[in-house]
Amino acid sequence: MPGAEDGFCHTDRIVGSIVDMAGVSRAKVLPISRLPTFVDSGAGASPSWTVFCVDDHLAFTPSFSVVGDLRLRIDGDDVRDLGNGTYWAPACLTEQDGTPSLACTRYALRRVTARLAESGLTARIGHEIEFALFDAATTEEWSAYGLNAVLTQEEFIERLLAAASTAALPIEQVHAEAGLGQFEVSLAPADPVEAADNAVLARALISRIARAQGLRASFSPMPVAGGAGNGAHQHVSFTEGDLPILSGGPGPHGLTPAGGAAVAGILRALPEFTAVLAGSALSHLRLRPGMWSGVFRCWGLENREAAVRLCADTAGNPHGANLEIKPIDPSANPYLSSAAILGAAHDGIAGALPLPDEVSVDPADLTGAVDLLPTLPSDVLGAFESSALARDLFGPLIMEALAAVKGYEHAEYREKPVDEVAQRFRYAWTS
Ligand code: GLU
Ligand code: MG
């Protein structure tokens, strides 16, 4: 509105963003009057956006170079109001003729959900958003899950809930996590693409409100070396026709044969997808026993050290049975991590894989009986690059870009002192 009190002219804006292979959101802003252009023709984006690394280095490959142009396009139905004249929508990458780019991770997730639909399956996903607030003197009044913690940050929480309501972001709960200054926001389950959009939006709102409060929000897998990690767990559920496959069946805790096969498919594929789920040069610092990050390649009812925690259908679980996939961290592109999990579950169901034995104790007590997910760069990258399932789900362009980005990040940073790397990238995934 011209002539506003601060003496500046104001105009509404529309921001469209994508998430790249490093898990960083990259954006373009147009005046709101040009929203139809953002929808119909899109805003220009170099193909090199896809090979930006966490430090903004470009990991060029034969398919991603200085030549060419893609479009960043939004859908008018996806626009959310962030307040103060800023509107936001998740963008897709298209070719100049408007066809989907094979480098677009949002399209990749759509393709996987369509594949599920062809088999009569529908998935829903609820994201957990963990982050640490810094520069808060209030961290001196802090207890894990503490009432003191949520009360000292009540203004931040109030503003976040108000902004979420304006932006139609379905926040279910907020709590103080185990780490100093660490919080978690849980989002309601939704269609997988919408759920990933919501995860991106949640980070933008959290980052923005933190800044307005004089705080800084870190979505790093390891904000401070030696501290608590930030996870980005996803709660996944499936129905076949109208029936849930994770409850009402003859298997353990009500799993149906398809539900058991989904668990088996996810467990089988986890090493191939560690590059996608927790593939940054900091991720290995979190992916360790005792961190509740699900580094153990097993499943168990309410087992918080298992990669796949089954949350059964009980009165205390209003959304019904679901699988919490714990190894995922916030450096993951949420579209690709969901595509990986859903594709792996689908693969397990298609192959009628048998459900592995449940682990109902801390897997660390079974002294070596349960495998750990890979964390050495050569293992993580090697398993990804030789994965036929990843190639099938993502296609060659995303494979090429993700391998180049993660390969660079590990080569550049894995040998450096962890304190230095954690500090350097503390805010790399902040929006
Ligand atoms: N912060 C833990 C992680 O890095 C998760 C703690 C929890 O189970 O909520 O995954
Ligand atoms: Mg948590």
Side-chain angles (χ1 to χ4, degrees), residues 128 130 175 177 184:
E128 289 183 3
E130 288 189 338
H175 66 259
E177 259 295 334
E184 176 178 320

Side-chain angles (χ1 to χ4, degrees), residues 128 130 145 175 177 182 184 228-233 286 291-293 304 324 326 328:
E128 289 183 3
E130 288 189 338
Y145 305 97
H175 66 259
E177 259 295 334
Q182 192 184 31
E184 176 178 320
N230 281 323
H233 309 172
R286 162 184 174 266
M291 301 288 280
W292 292 23
S293 58
R304 285 181 166 75
E324 182 185 29
K326 291 183 70 85
I328 309 168

